[in-house]
Amino acid sequence: MSGSTDRMPRLLALVPYLLARPGIRIEDAARDFGVTARQLRRDLELLWMCGLPGYGPGDLIDLSFEGDTVTVTFDAGMNRPLRLTGGEATALLVALRAVAETPGVVDTDAVHRAIAKIEAAAGQAQPSGVVVGLAVREGEKTAATRRVVQNVLRAGRALRIRYYTASRDQITERTVDPMRLLIVQAVGYLEAWCRRAEGVRLFRLDRIDEVEVLDERAAPPPTARPTDISDGVFRARPGQPEAQLVLEPDARWVAEYYPCEELAELDGGRLRVRMRYGDESWMVRLVLGLGGDARVESPPELAEAVRSRAAAALERARHLPATLGQ
């Protein structure tokens, strides 16, 4: 007999599991979940009654049975596994520690209890490749930046920052008047009036290379208004292209680091993601930087741009001196 405390996590994990294994035998799926085939059939019957508000045709999870096999034909949005990856656990811990140190948090004990539980569970989290270690090192640097930002917000001081803009692959020096510290989807941001851009900007803490506290007071103009982040930081614009990528296990961190609109688990730990982008050259750099760990499925013009840039790089490499690097 399967208790409700065991059944709920299993139900949440079943849909992404089945999406990655269309046509799997029910007995094989039951064995993976450690239950009987009879219990799994009961779980599948219950999933048929779950779905999106409206609860009519096109809203509920839909399954297709053929003999002793099952396939998900409509996932109702439940297309991501419940278990945290190592990268996700790290990002969540960094965000919670930031909350614990932020003035105004009423129940810091509850936050610390949550941190302890996640740290205990993180040992069971699925690894996401070599980037997990990188994320820990980045977290330490970002935590130091966050402490500086928290202090200047209390003191009301201006900052000079050296900032990396990923969309333009550019590093700039900026003087900013801090307004508030935000944590959106486990990512820390400094919201500030940027004197260079003459507008309110959000700066990711992990992209601030250097920070210097100035003697002058922070003085955002009266027209400076907080950014509306009710729909997230990234705002998709009409006509913005979408890329569909297949990521190898070591590149899964892309889905944790950049906003993605759709994710689907594939065999072998691979991940299919769909993400919008505003600048093709930025997306080309991202894919090339992943080496052989990312493949562009669409759009075809993006795939061609990646091939052309890679071919040009190889051609340049052919003409380098043979003694280079010796």
Side-chain angles (χ1 to χ4, degrees), residues 97-109 111 150 153-154 181:
R97 290 187 183 115
V99 170
E101 297 178 19
T102 300
V105 175
V106 178
D107 193 353
T108 55
D109 288 340
V111 177
Q150 289 173 333
L153 283 169
R154 295 190 191 99
L181 180 64

Side-chain angles (χ1 to χ4, degrees), residues 262-303:
E262 188 174 318
L263 301 98
E265 291 285 343
L266 303 177
D267 61 305
R270 297 179 304 150
L271 191 68
R272 176 179 285 115
V273 301
R274 183 166 58 85
M275 54 193 298
R276 291 182 181 269
Y277 59 97
D279 185 279
E280 185 182 85
S281 63
W282 174 83
M283 182 58 77
V284 169
R285 289 195 304 271
L286 174 65
V287 175
L288 289 176
L290 295 171
D293 287 337
R295 177 169 57 86
V296 179
E297 288 192 325
S298 66
E301 54 268 25
L302 175 62

Side-chain angles (χ1 to χ4, degrees), residues 93 171 184 293:
L93 286 171
I171 295 178
V184 184
D293 287 337

Side-chain angles (χ1 to χ4, degrees):
M1 187 71 179
S2 178
S4 59
T5 56
D6 298 325
R7 196 179 192 188
M8 179 59 73
R10 186 170 64 249
L11 288 170
L12 291 172
L14 254 176
V15 175
Y17 169 89
L18 294 174
L19 281 172
R21 301 163 179 83
I24 188 172
R25 294 176 66 248
I26 292 176
E27 287 188 0
D28 294 339
R31 184 167 53 251
D32 285 347
F33 280 92
V35 296
T36 64
R38 181 181 179 184
Q39 178 61 55
L40 191 70
R41 287 183 183 275
R42 289 177 177 172
D43 292 340
L44 295 174
E45 290 170 0
L46 180 57
L47 281 177
W48 250 337
M49 296 180 282
C50 302
L52 301 170
Y55 308 109
D59 300 319
L60 301 178
I61 294 170
D62 200 4
L63 306 170
S64 172
F65 294 91
E66 185 173 343
D68 292 330
T69 67
V70 60
T71 299
V72 175
T73 55
F74 179 67
D75 59 38
M78 295 179 61
N79 54 9
R80 195 172 186 189
L82 178 65
R83 187 183 296 269
L84 292 176
T85 65
E88 288 170 336
T90 299
L92 187 55
L93 286 171
V94 169
L96 283 172
R97 290 187 183 115
V99 170
E101 297 178 19
T102 300
V105 175
V106 178
D107 193 353
T108 55
D109 288 340
V111 177
H112 286 297
R113 287 196 298 272
I115 290 172
K117 289 180 180 178
I118 295 170
E119 284 178 335
Q124 304 172 7
Q126 295 294 327
S128 59
V130 297
V131 180
V132 173
L134 177 62
V136 173
R137 294 194 295 272
E138 287 180 343
E140 294 171 354
K141 182 176 183 295
T142 303
T145 301
R146 173 175 42 79
R147 286 192 289 269
V148 173
V149 169
Q150 289 173 333
N151 290 335
V152 299
L153 283 169
R154 295 190 191 99
R157 298 291 182 183
L159 285 176
R160 181 177 293 116
I161 63 174
R162 190 167 182 263
Y163 188 72
Y164 171 66
T165 304
S167 61
R168 295 193 296 271
D169 193 26
Q170 185 181 52
I171 295 178
T172 56
E173 301 275 350
R174 301 166 183 254
T175 299
V176 301
D177 299 289
M179 296 167 58
R180 59 176 176 164
L181 180 64
L182 300 171
I183 298 175
V184 184
Q185 296 179 342
V187 178
Y189 294 86
L190 164 64
E191 183 177 50
W193 176 266
C194 177
R195 300 182 188 178
R196 182 175 183 267
E198 296 186 343
V200 176
R201 296 291 185 269
L202 290 174
F203 301 98
R204 282 183 63 138
L205 298 184
D206 56 358
R207 293 180 184 167
I208 298 177
D209 288 340
E210 296 177 6
V211 58
E212 177 188 352
V213 181
L214 303 180
D215 291 334
E216 58 186 289
R217 302 284 299 176
T223 56
R225 292 288 182 269
T227 306
D228 180 9
I229 58 169
S230 56
D231 295 326
V233 173
F234 180 79
R235 296 293 185 90
R237 298 188 299 274
Q240 209 165 32
E242 292 182 349
Q244 184 162 291
L245 311 177
V246 172
L247 305 174
E248 295 297 323
D250 283 349
R252 291 174 63 100
W253 63 269
V254 170
E256 303 161 10
Y257 197 73
Y258 297 105
C260 294
E261 298 193 356
E262 188 174 318
L263 301 98
E265 291 285 343
L266 303 177
D267 61 305
R270 297 179 304 150
L271 191 68
R272 176 179 285 115
V273 301
R274 183 166 58 85
M275 54 193 298
R276 291 182 181 269
Y277 59 97
D279 185 279
E280 185 182 85
S281 63
W282 174 83
M283 182 58 77
V284 169
R285 289 195 304 271
L286 174 65
V287 175
L288 289 176
L290 295 171
D293 287 337
R295 177 169 57 86
V296 179
E297 288 192 325
S298 66
E301 54 268 25
L302 175 62
E304 180 58 35
V306 171
R307 281 193 292 268
S308 298
R309 186 80 66 87
L314 288 172
E315 183 63 24
R316 288 194 298 271
R318 288 179 57 246
H319 297 289
L320 291 175
T323 57
L324 188 64
Q326 296 183 357

